[in-house]
Amino acid sequence: MSQVKSTTRQTLTYPRRDVEKGYTDQYLDVNLSEGTIAIGPIEEKIKKTFIGGKGFDLWLLWDALKGDNKWDDPQNAICIASGPMGGTPAYPGSGKSIVTSISPLTGSVIDSNVGGYFGPYLKFSGFDALRITGKTSGDTVVVIDGIQERIDILEIPGLPEDAYALSDVLTDHFSQGKKVGISVISAGPGAANTRIGCLNFSWYDNARKRVRYKQAGRGGIGTVFADKGLKAVVARWEQVSLKSNNPADLEALKTVARCHAKEIVELDPKQNEMARLGTVHLVPIMNDFDLLPTHNFQYGSHPGASLIGREAFEKLFDPGYDGCWKGCTVACAHGVKDFVPYTGAYKGRKVFVDGPEYETIAGCGSNLGIFDPFTILEINFYCDAYGLDTISVGTAIAFVMECFDRGMINTDHTGGMDLSFGNRLNALELIHQMASGEGFGAIVGQGIRRMKGLFAERFGADPAMLQDIGMESKGLEFSEYMTKESLAQQGGYGLALKGPQHDEAWLIFLDMVHNFMPTFEQKAEALHWFPMFRTWFGLCGLCKLPWNDIVPEDNKDTLEPAKVMKHVNWYAEYYTAVTGNPATPEDLIAMSETVYNFQRVFNLKMGYGTREHDTLPYRAMGPVTVEEYTSRQERYDTELKEKYKVDLTGKDTPWRLAELRKRREAQYETLKDAVYQRRGWTIDGIPTIDTVKRLGIDFPEVMAVLAENGVK
């Protein structure tokens, strides 16, 4: 056991409440400023309204905040919950935690859905959710020990800075010889010195005898964690079985779990091979359909994509079972064993890299013009060690590289670094600088929105060009999909509550490839149903990959293949079996619609959440430069001539570029109108009184926020 010297600041012993039908009906409240630990009830009305997971997080966060609170105020909370089905070991993808806070990037609500064992261990220790408020010294570790029925706030000086070493030490110290029973949440120095910090959620891989990690990546939640002075949060639990959630109908749960798991085992090897490749199978698919972000989202494909796709990583991944929760048959959490970094503190040492996944490969590979799998692995490793979101890191550096290539910044600004596309060593150097808060990396670590202002004010860069090519919306960097040719996906990003993250609506293939939704009304319907169903996974402690990454063999012949309704029905059966509340697919959508609209009002409470905030940089809608237009000239010329009846005779490319822009910007605004109407919102994007009453969230505080924004 590692020698760790700790001072106990506060302890609470408690009688552990058993889970009943997926719930404990209580939450844990930790105030770091006051050094207090309390247990609060989750009343039946709250449970029925907010369901669990992100719903409970939002309720607890709302209660902690006033509208004028900022991300670094002590009142800001980090809320973590699983959900009623979270922790089921037999049903694929049932080990998720959902983390929610106010973002340092956006100033509003951010959430991340993450694997690892923490959420289930928290619930089985007796708590549906955890809320942490206040600030402390910087050496604080919160320990939730469900076996000893004890909560501790500890001060532990001298712990390692990076997430890998820290989690190893704490897992060893608290495990009492049973490391599988420990899950650690940690951030890292990059989280402390940037606005794009992530959280690492651990689980112990018993077969490989090592701590493994998944990341709550988006929006800087790791930065909030570090700002609070937290070093780690640890959960300890023991055995998990199908009975752990005490489901209402154990036999029904066994039946539906067996059906879904069996289908995945049979079909995954024939489809995307998630259990062997994870999400890297997406790289050649995105490249083939011109959707792989390249050189800061200028282009959608590259001849070098094959060097960083499935063929490369299937040779590098360590074989063996890779589920980030017990018994998940998707088992997509792959990693690379005995990788040796070329730079940084781990230079020359063998390490295990958890990943990469598609988003990291695209964001830190093709989008930077880097087509070397080993550089991507090193970026992946150090981002995790430092607690940095690989999506924001990749998209932010891609923006910097384009600014550098266009002469908008130069070596005088970058500390002498050549930041041209493809410069892999300087990309790594930026990441090391982000972790230390030094050099030009300290600027990049503030995120694209702040870089745009700084580059214009300090370096004299063109603000309009910066706005067009800076791939952020609401302050959050784009995840790694090209949206120029998919209006529905533009809406999926621009209208997403937290910013451009694909977990609300991934509609590119349905819209661009299959043309399933040619009208604005059809796009609006998709931008209602898909965000609602995807939100539901975050309410219940589930991963979405089993839903639509492995599909029934006859799915293409069904009426709505994109929805994979066979699986949607299974999820309704799963929810019913655990909670005892009969549910149909329509009920699942209704659950999410309630929470989704509450979050929109929450954004209003924080000073956001209206039409003006649902904007996109133009590159998300169409080509910004002549080079971009030329790369797809036949497509764009055809659109102008056939769709808009524009006479192109004698017109040069800049003129055509401008004409296309006017029309594409206008169609995005028309899409907003259609989506707002479908969602029951005003023309300014605010839920109407009728909508909040229909959904049962017409609480006095909600009605007051609406009234303050002119909705009465």
Side-chain angles (χ1 to χ4, degrees):
M1 180 180 290
S2 301
Q3 295 302 308
V4 173
K5 295 182 179 180
S6 64
T7 301
T8 301
R9 185 179 172 196
Q10 186 61 268
T11 294
L12 174 70
T13 58
Y14 68 100
R16 186 181 65 248
R17 181 177 291 183
D18 290 336
V19 182
E20 179 68 27
K21 299 179 183 178
Y23 295 97
T24 67
D25 295 334
Q26 61 184 15
Y27 68 94
L28 180 63
D29 209 10
V30 177
N31 186 311
L32 299 172
S33 297
E34 298 176 4
T36 58
I37 307 168
I39 297 172
I42 299 176
E43 298 173 355
E44 189 66 21
K45 178 175 174 57
I46 296 300
K47 186 166 70 172
K48 287 183 177 179
T49 302
F50 294 104
I51 308 304
K54 185 170 79 167
F56 285 179
D57 284 353
L58 290 169
W59 165 63
L60 290 169
L61 183 62
W62 175 289
D63 182 63
L65 296 174
K66 297 179 180 178
D68 58 355
N69 285 136
K70 307 301 181 186
W71 74 269
D72 54 354
D73 287 343
Q75 293 87 348
N76 188 17
I78 295 173
C79 300
I80 306 170
S82 184
M85 288 106 93
T88 305
Y91 204 101
S94 295
K96 290 288 192 160
S97 304
I98 297 84
V99 194
T100 305
S101 190
I102 299 301
S103 166
L105 288 172
T106 71
S108 193
V109 180
I110 195 75
D111 61 89
S112 272
N113 184 311
V114 57
Y117 288 7
F118 185 88
Y121 282 5
L122 171 71
K123 183 168 70 170
F124 297 145
S125 294
F127 307 104
D128 287 330
L130 166 66
R131 178 172 66 185
I132 301 175
T133 55
K135 292 190 178 185
T136 185
S137 67
D139 292 320
T140 299
V141 177
V142 176
V143 182
I144 303 160
D145 191 329
I147 300 172
Q148 294 189 347
E149 301 179 29
R150 172 180 173 135
I151 317 295
D152 288 297
I153 303 176
L154 306 176
E155 299 298 319
I156 309 180
L159 288 171
E161 289 296 317
D162 79 77
Y164 286 106
L166 174 66
S167 296
D168 280 344
V169 168
L170 294 180
T171 299
D172 188 34
H173 177 69
F174 289 110
S175 67
Q176 299 185 22
K178 297 181 180 179
K179 295 184 179 182
V180 174
I182 297 293
S183 182
V184 179
I185 306 174
S186 61
N193 290 313
T194 69
R195 290 176 183 260
I196 57 177
C198 76
L199 289 176
N200 289 285
F201 279 57
S202 82
W203 81 96
Y204 190 75
D205 185 335
N206 207 33
R208 295 181 177 85
K209 305 300 179 187
R210 65 172 65 250
V211 179
R212 301 278 304 276
Y213 307 87
K214 281 289 190 180
Q215 288 72 39
R218 305 303 344 255
I221 297 179
T223 298
V224 180
F225 192 91
D227 180 70
K228 288 189 172 300
L230 278 169
K231 202 72 173 183
V233 181
V234 180
R236 179 169 176 249
W237 185 244
E238 47 189 357
Q239 294 297 318
V240 175
S241 74
L242 267 176
K243 296 181 180 180
S244 295
N245 269 320
N246 197 8
D249 189 336
L250 180 61
E251 292 307 311
L253 173 58
K254 287 179 180 178
T255 298
V256 70
R258 190 182 304 117
C259 288
H260 206 157
K262 181 174 181 288
E263 182 187 80
I264 288 171
V265 170
E266 291 176 353
L267 297 182
D268 180 48
K270 305 174 187 177
Q271 295 180 12
N272 292 325
E273 299 183 276
M274 302 289 287
R276 193 169 72 87
L277 299 170
T279 57
V280 304
H281 74 275
L282 285 170
V283 176
I285 297 171
M286 295 298 107
N287 194 63
D288 288 346
F289 284 98
D290 206 21
L291 295 169
L292 182 70
T294 304
H295 290 189
N296 193 32
F297 295 87
Q298 291 182 78
Y299 311 109
S301 62
H302 192 279
S306 62
L307 300 174
I308 57 172
R310 61 181 295 153
E311 292 180 3
F313 287 102
E314 67 182 347
K315 299 171 185 175
L316 294 171
F317 283 144
D318 187 43
Y321 177 74
D322 284 302
C324 70
W325 176 241
K326 302 170 186 286
C328 177
T329 47
V330 179
C332 63
H334 303 299
V336 176
K337 181 182 177 182
D338 293 338
F339 176 74
V340 181
Y342 188 73
T343 67
Y346 286 84
K347 178 180 179 178
R349 294 166 56 184
K350 290 182 179 179
V351 299
F352 190 95
V353 184
D354 280 288
E357 296 185 13
Y358 166 78
E359 298 288 338
T360 302
I361 295 170
C364 300
S366 60
N367 217 16
L368 306 185
I370 293 173
F371 296 92
D372 169 35
F374 300 103
T375 300
I376 294 169
L377 282 169
E378 187 156 346
I379 291 172
N380 188 144
F381 174 79
Y382 277 117
C383 283
D384 292 352
Y386 294 151
L388 293 168
D389 172 18
T390 57
I391 295 176
S392 279
V393 164
T395 302
I397 294 178
F399 168 71
V400 167
M401 286 181 164
E402 183 172 359
C403 289
F404 190 90
D405 274 5
R406 294 190 182 280
M408 302 167 79
I409 60 173
N410 57 48
T411 53
D412 291 339
H413 308 132
T414 66
M417 283 191 290
D418 179 343
L419 290 175
S420 302
F421 284 113
N423 196 321
R424 60 191 185 89
L425 292 180
N426 283 343
L428 278 162
E429 175 59 23
L430 274 182
I431 292 166
H432 297 313
Q433 289 183 4
M434 288 183 207
S436 64
E438 298 172 347
F440 190 66
I443 294 174
V444 180
Q446 297 305 300
I448 291 174
R449 176 161 287 190
R450 287 164 182 82
M451 278 195 285
K452 288 189 296 188
L454 190 152
F455 289 4
E457 294 164 14
R458 195 181 299 179
F459 305 149
D462 177 7
M465 187 63 170
L466 292 170
Q467 181 60 36
D468 281 350
I469 68 173
M471 297 301 285
E472 60 84 14
S473 175
K474 298 181 174 71
L476 183 69
E477 283 74 26
F478 273 59
S479 65
E480 309 304 328
Y481 298 97
M482 292 281 289
T483 63
K484 286 189 182 81
E485 317 313 333
S486 171
L487 179 59
Q489 188 56 41
Q490 292 165 32
Y493 273 156
L495 300 173
L497 297 180
K498 64 186 172 188
Q501 174 69 3
H502 55 281
D503 61 354
E504 275 197 25
W506 193 88
L507 301 172
I508 290 177
F509 266 59
L510 308 182
D511 185 37
M512 178 183 144
V513 177
H514 301 305
N515 195 31
F516 282 164
M517 49 189 82
T519 70
F520 284 107
E521 291 73 21
Q522 288 168 321
K523 288 176 172 62
E525 181 59 37
L527 284 165
H528 175 73
W529 193 91
F530 284 93
M532 296 312 122
F533 190 58
R534 285 169 173 260
T535 293
W536 185 80
F537 290 98
L539 304 183
C540 293
L542 305 177
C543 171
K544 72 148 188 82
L545 295 181
W547 162 48
N548 65 351
D549 279 69
I550 302 103
V551 301
E553 289 183 301
D554 63 350
N555 186 63
K556 64 181 181 300
D557 300 320
T558 62
L559 290 175
E560 298 180 287
K563 293 182 178 180
V564 196
M565 287 305 298
K566 180 180 180 181
H567 289 174
V568 176
N569 278 286
W570 279 351
Y571 282 116
E573 293 176 25
Y574 181 17
Y575 177 85
T576 301
V578 172
T579 67
N581 300 320
T584 65
E586 292 74 22
D587 294 326
L588 310 186
I589 301 301
M591 294 174 200
S592 292
E593 192 178 2
T594 299
V595 175
Y596 195 90
N597 278 269
F598 182 79
Q599 186 171 344
R600 185 70 171 189
V601 177
F602 203 151
N603 287 348
L604 282 174
K605 177 180 178 178
M606 301 308 299
Y608 303 92
T610 58
R611 188 183 190 103
E612 67 176 306
H613 301 109
D614 291 340
T615 56
L616 292 171
Y618 181 63
R619 179 163 285 161
M621 301 181 208
V624 171
T625 66
V626 167
E627 296 91 341
E628 286 173 78
Y629 190 101
T630 303
S631 72
R632 292 185 174 96
Q633 182 151 355
E634 183 178 356
R635 178 198 297 269
Y636 297 144
D637 283 353
T638 299
E639 181 177 340
L640 285 170
K641 288 186 293 187
E642 296 185 0
K643 183 175 181 179
Y644 297 114
K645 311 304 179 186
V646 176
D647 183 1
L648 300 182
T649 305
K651 305 300 185 183
D652 61 13
T653 303
W655 186 92
R656 299 176 190 209
L657 187 70
E659 286 296 307
L660 182 66
R661 178 169 188 155
K662 286 190 296 187
R663 287 159 174 80
R664 288 207 168 181
E665 288 179 330
Q667 73 174 4
Y668 179 66
E669 293 302 316
T670 302
L671 179 67
K672 282 186 189 178
D673 294 338
V675 174
Y676 292 163
Q677 182 178 14
R678 175 61 185 88
R679 290 181 177 177
W681 296 356
T682 70
I683 196 68
D684 199 30
I686 301 173
T688 66
I689 297 296
D690 286 345
T691 296
V692 298
K693 286 184 174 180
R694 174 175 60 83
L695 297 172
I697 53 172
D698 51 336
F699 307 116
E701 301 93 334
V702 167
M703 301 302 280
V705 170
L706 293 178
E708 289 168 7
N709 286 272
V711 179
K712 300 178 182 179

